[in-house]
Amino acid sequence: MSDAIATKRSKREARGPYGRVGTAINELDERLGIAKGGRTFLDKIFPDHWSFMLGEIALYSFVVLLATGVFLTLYYIPSSAIVTYKGSYLPLYGQHVTQAFASSVDLSFSVRAGLLMRQMHHWSCDIFVGAMVVHMARVFFTGAFRKPRETNWIVGLSLLILAIGNGFLGYSLPDDLVSGTGLRIAYSIMESIPLVGTYLGFFVFGGNFPGTSMIPRFFILHVLIVPLLIMGLVGAHLFLLVRQKHTQFPGPGRTENNVVGSPMFPVFMAKTTGFLFLVAGVVGLLGAFAQINPIWQFGPYDAARISYAVQPDWYMGFLDGALRIFPAWSFHSFGHTIPLEVTIPAVVLPGIIFNLAFAWPALERKFTGDNAIHHLLDRPSLRPKRTAAGAAVLAFLMILFIASSTDVIANFMHLSLSSVLWAMRILTFLVPLITYPVTYYLAKEMQHAPGSGKRKTTNVVSRSATGEYLAESAPAYDEDVHHELVAKTVPTFIEADLDSDNGVRKVPR
Amino acid sequence: MSENTSRTPVNLQSVRESDPHLQPAAKNPVVVERVIALNFIAAMLSFVGFLWAYIVNAQAWKLGATFGGGMTFLGIGLIAWGKYLMPRGPFVEERHVLASTQGERDAMSDAIVKRGGGVIQRRKFLGGLLGGSMALVGAASIWPLLRSLGPLPKGTLFHTDWRKGAFAVDQSGRRIHKNDLAVGSIVTVFPEGKQDTDNGQAVDQTVLIRLSNEHFTTQKGRESWGPHGYVAYSKLCTHLGCPVGLYEQQLQLLVCPCHQSMFDVTNGALPNFGPAPRPLPQLPLYIDSNGYIRAQSDFHEPVGPGFWERA
């Protein structure tokens, strides 16, 4: 008995103060040398700001996309072979539909949790793209794309394009009436490109629309090739983030040479894991209570049929709006046609917008001559021109997005289609033109009011011993001070160097 | 302080209890702890409910509510724990300068330019052959890869399956007789035998409208195309190829629901609103001795949206 206890105790003592974890770390470190880097990683500091969480929403909705997507691939059949639908949804019973459509309906109605998974997949896609756009706007307006982070801006923008593309591919896979119409439009857009358009369309679709290979090809692109590219680029995005360390807003104790915030372990890890659960939870609740893309109501795709008020997923809205309001300017000459009414809004316009976004960091470096390394973020009001330009582009895209529902607006407001169309055409130019100066002067105004949002304090006039009068304003009211920005003496898990740098304790490396 | 000691892990207990920065951020940690505990308990109950819903194959909303609710509770609890009860910062970390010294940069450039470049400089002929074979294998693999993805367009886009004498049939394959449609009615037709094919549905689809009881001429030169008031237009919108599926009977307009192009069916389907640049091609019709509607020929121009090769 006592021997056994003694053995247990001696075993425990032999393990040292860190128990089994310590043993595991020792074993791993002997083989892989993980302790040094691992400790650095656990100590890694993440700055705290609510806007830094937008990228996390994108990342975690991508995690949800992967998980629900794997579930869907187990039941979805990527085939355009015609079958007779004999599933449990009676209105479609006995209809001749493609296997892709039949399996999409079946996985919604006959597979346990299938409908929930489909709706969660669709919702997390819409949230994924949305979070990326808002995250990108944050990065843009705070100047986080500046040197040395231009590469990560380009990686992020590529991720956005891939996500939009993959969203469109996935939207097409159920082969329902609405998605088929979207594909028809995509095909016609490819066809509109001068010189190579018809070849491009034939090669992508395997022949004239609808071709023979659309569903299997788009399936493998959607579930394998594009997700692999996205995962690779997400890896690169995060690697660069870790390597270059996160940016931070200026504040007491925060300099270009440090990062102030919470340590990776355990604070950031707890918060970010909690956030993963929260994103999954919200997507789950949306999947439960908010119906999305009810393909059984649209019915199977039939090239000769169409539904009223057809709209794509939200991130395609600006393209659809541009196609609606662009005038019918087809160009014919020398025996050739350039369908400008399609090429300009659907090819040239997104080309310009995305290329401008890709080039923006380089353009800004060139025009401002600012070639310095930046780790502290700009407050948007301090860069009125950039902020105004970004706001104008967003306003332009927003109007195009609204223009993608001209018919619905006309119906709802009892206006003629023609007046809605012309209103949109005018607003497309007018709103960005107004947005730019309004944003610019608002930003300027905010610059000149550094105490904006704070109450005025008393001016204390005092006379010195030599008879000199001094006027000083009293300190700000306590409630007006942003305490979270005031640095404190900081503890660490490490017996740290107590030399304080602006009141913030350093973690020595 | 040496490198070594800075990496010695320190137990939480060895930090002074009184350190204000290790105090919870919450004014009343006990309350916060209880709230977090309630969240975790709610999460556990939700997940039990989820398991139950899955086992009894409950409706989707019950599965989603239990799963989503559980995840939300779990997330809120964990975030609150991290935010209120874990050691507060701010902590600080120095940034390393990522850039190397000029000497290190030069060493790398030197390795590439002098060492690697030197090898090629001395063997220019071999370098050329290496580059040439790599370029050839690249070109050789790209061309067939592209070429085998689909057939070449050739003349495909210039004609449909409509032929001289083709019967107009509806989607179920029934031939259309001259007495079938009342004035103002519309039906989608296909060339007989093609109504079930992909190409038939995507390319040959045609709207047949009866505009009157008499011969109807939509444009000069099309005097014989509209027997007994029957006129036929390609159903593919000339903007982006959506089916022109809406017929506004009073105004006699065909409307495309995608981007609201409108075509005047009494006037050669000329577009009078929206982004479509061209009229819908008209199919010349005749009525045979048995009263069935048939095509005089194919469309006289390519159907659907514009493309480069189109004249």
Side-chain angles (χ1 to χ4, degrees), chain A residues 75-95:
Chain A
Y75 305 100
Y76 173 78
I77 304 168
S79 157
S80 37
I82 302 291
V83 294
T84 309
Y85 178 76
K86 290 206 168 116
S88 54
Y89 186 67
L90 291 181
L92 287 173
Y93 195 88
Q95 278 199 39

Side-chain angles (χ1 to χ4, degrees), chain B:
Chain B
M1 173 172 275
S2 76
E3 279 283 293
N4 205 21
T5 45
S6 79
R7 295 212 171 85
T8 309
V10 173
N11 210 318
L12 244 183
Q13 278 122 39
S14 70
V15 180
R16 277 170 294 124
E17 291 276 314
S18 58
D19 191 328
H21 300 289
L22 288 177
Q23 298 309 307
K27 285 191 179 123
N28 191 346
V30 181
V31 172
V32 176
E33 211 178 306
R34 281 186 192 150
V35 171
I36 294 172
L38 278 179
N39 268 293
F40 284 162
I41 291 167
M44 288 166 81
L45 290 176
S46 304
F47 290 139
V48 170
F50 178 61
L51 192 63
W52 165 81
Y54 201 91
I55 290 169
V56 304
N57 198 8
Q59 286 141 297
W61 76 265
K62 288 177 185 161
L63 282 157
T66 47
F67 171 78
M71 280 300 203
T72 307
F73 287 125
L74 193 60
I76 291 172
L78 196 50
I79 292 169
W81 192 352
K83 190 170 166 62
Y84 295 112
L85 300 182
M86 285 190 186
R88 296 159 64 198
F91 297 80
V92 71
E93 181 184 6
E94 298 298 310
R95 281 182 198 277
H96 306 277
V97 177
L98 288 178
S100 323
T101 62
Q102 194 56 49
E104 287 164 331
R105 292 179 192 176
D106 288 347
M108 182 164 174
S109 310
D110 193 74
I112 295 173
V113 177
K114 294 260 173 67
R115 196 196 306 160
V119 165
I120 295 175
Q121 290 283 314
R122 279 192 294 278
R123 303 270 187 279
K124 274 190 181 150
F125 179 62
L126 288 184
L129 288 181
L130 178 68
S133 35
M134 273 153 73
L136 275 176
V137 75
S141 37
I142 283 172
W143 175 246
L145 192 70
L146 275 181
R147 190 51 202 83
S148 50
L149 282 175
L152 294 178
K154 292 186 181 151
T156 321
L157 295 165
F158 289 88
H159 53 77
T160 70
D161 294 320
W162 287 101
R163 294 283 177 278
K164 186 179 178 191
F167 284 95
V169 298
D170 66 11
Q171 197 139 26
S172 62
R174 208 173 57 90
R175 288 179 183 173
I176 308 291
H177 191 266
K178 67 177 178 183
N179 296 333
D180 281 355
L181 293 195
V183 172
S185 300
I186 177 170
V187 66
T188 302
V189 294
F190 307 87
E192 192 175 43
K194 302 289 178 185
Q195 68 275 14
D196 285 330
T197 62
D198 279 346
N199 199 54
Q201 290 183 347
V203 179
D204 306 334
Q205 49 174 309
T206 298
V207 278
L208 180 68
I209 309 171
R210 189 163 197 193
L211 290 174
S212 75
N213 287 318
E214 279 135 43
H215 239 69
F216 198 94
T217 306
T218 63
Q219 291 243 299
K220 246 190 178 168
R222 300 182 181 178
E223 283 78 9
S224 69
W225 291 17
H228 286 262
Y230 280 97
V231 295
Y233 294 105
S234 162
K235 202 181 175 183
L236 284 179
C237 183
T238 54
H239 180 219
L240 285 165
C242 291
V244 184
L246 298 174
Y247 180 49
E248 169 48 75
Q249 201 183 341
Q250 306 259 298
L251 302 170
Q252 296 186 313
L253 291 175
L254 276 170
V255 183
C256 177
C258 284
H259 303 97
Q260 288 77 47
S261 295
M262 298 183 189
F263 303 90
D264 182 355
V265 293
T266 62
N267 186 20
L270 276 170
N272 65 4
F273 182 82
R278 283 180 305 278
L280 300 168
Q282 187 176 352
L283 186 72
L285 301 175
Y286 73 95
I287 291 177
D288 69 9
S289 50
N290 294 324
Y292 287 110
I293 293 168
R294 297 168 76 166
Q296 290 182 26
S297 68
D298 193 359
F299 292 101
H300 290 193
E301 54 182 316
V303 297
F307 51 94
W308 172 253
E309 292 87 346
R310 192 184 201 284

